[in-house]
Amino acid sequence: QKSGLAHVNLGAVYQQQAQDEAAIAEYKKAIDVQPTLLDGYFSLGMLYEKQGKLDDAYEMYKEVERINPAYYAIYNNLASIEVQRGNVPEAEAHYKEAIALNPYYADAHFNLGAIYFSAHRLQEAAKEFEIASSVEGDKVTTLHSLLDIYTQLNDMPQTVHTLKRIIAIDPTDALANNLLDSLKKSGVTK
């Protein structure tokens, strides 16, 4: 008899080959063989979410939470479902739970920042994006989100600083270079 993890690994192979039903069967076998194996529920939930079966995915994620409430990443997944359902306050609560369990969880900070950004809570969004950037190192996508916020806030020092951070990572970034050139021509910066 295979271990639960062996079924999860086989399910992942099936999933990579776009054989979702075979993957689901293996993930379910993993859960049957080893009912407390988080990977079985987590993998099944991820696949259900990918398929748009949000209720099924949510049920799998809640099972992970039941087995190990300290598993911080699951709250990011629960929040993702809530965002897709349009339940932003619940998503925000889940992201905050993930951060409370692991303050260095960059994905949760980024996703919480995205919620704040969508709600035009720009100062809060900037704070979360800055934390995500400080935890994981500067990433162009995070910095572009910050750039958008700082330009909307008309915060020129932060805008220029963020542009320079983007260019330091990707010297060919057209948006950052064009905007910085424009600011230099207008005399906002050197």
Side-chain angles (χ1 to χ4, degrees):
Q1 182 178 357
K2 291 181 189 168
S3 71
L5 195 53
H7 286 292
V8 168
N9 291 337
L10 184 55
V13 170
Y14 283 132
Q15 194 172 340
Q16 288 173 344
Q17 297 172 347
Q19 297 179 38
D20 288 355
E21 293 312 310
I24 288 169
E26 288 301 322
Y27 295 146
K28 286 181 176 180
K29 287 177 189 173
I31 292 166
D32 288 342
V33 170
Q34 206 171 336
T36 59
L37 180 66
L38 297 181
D39 292 349
Y41 297 101
F42 193 80
S43 298
L44 187 54
M46 294 282 288
L47 181 51
Y48 282 151
E49 186 175 356
K50 180 181 141 220
Q51 293 178 331
K53 298 176 182 175
L54 300 184
D55 291 339
D56 293 334
Y58 195 82
E59 184 180 315
M60 293 299 106
Y61 296 154
K62 289 301 279 185
E63 194 59 27
V64 171
E65 179 189 28
R66 184 191 66 74
I67 294 166
N68 184 358
Y71 184 58
Y72 63 88
I74 202 60
Y75 298 98
N76 199 51
N77 293 72
L78 288 166
S80 172
I81 298 290
E82 294 297 359
V83 167
Q84 293 174 74
R85 290 176 171 170
N87 190 354
V88 175
E90 191 65 27
E92 181 179 350
H94 284 306
Y95 288 133
K96 287 180 176 179
E97 181 70 21
I99 291 166
L101 290 167
N102 181 356
Y104 302 102
Y105 188 29
D107 288 346
H109 283 288
F110 181 87
N111 293 333
L112 182 58
I115 283 179
Y116 290 153
F117 183 81
S118 295
H120 303 288
R121 294 162 62 182
L122 300 181
Q123 295 289 349
E124 292 167 284
K127 176 184 172 227
E128 295 302 325
F129 289 142
E130 288 287 4
I131 292 169
S133 191
S134 72
V135 168
E136 69 184 353
D138 283 345
K139 287 188 175 177
V140 172
T141 52
T142 306
L143 293 175
H144 273 280
S145 297
L146 280 166
L147 179 62
D148 198 8
I149 290 169
Y150 293 138
T151 55
Q152 286 186 47
L153 292 172
N154 202 27
D155 184 337
M156 282 306 119
Q158 284 294 356
T159 298
V160 170
H161 177 68
T162 305
L163 287 168
K164 290 177 179 178
R165 288 165 66 187
I166 293 169
I167 293 167
I169 296 169
D170 181 4
T172 65
D173 188 292
L175 174 69
N177 280 299
N178 291 338
L179 186 52
L180 190 58
D181 287 345
S182 174
L183 292 172
K184 285 177 182 176
K185 287 177 186 169
S186 67
V188 173
T189 188
K190 294 178 184 179

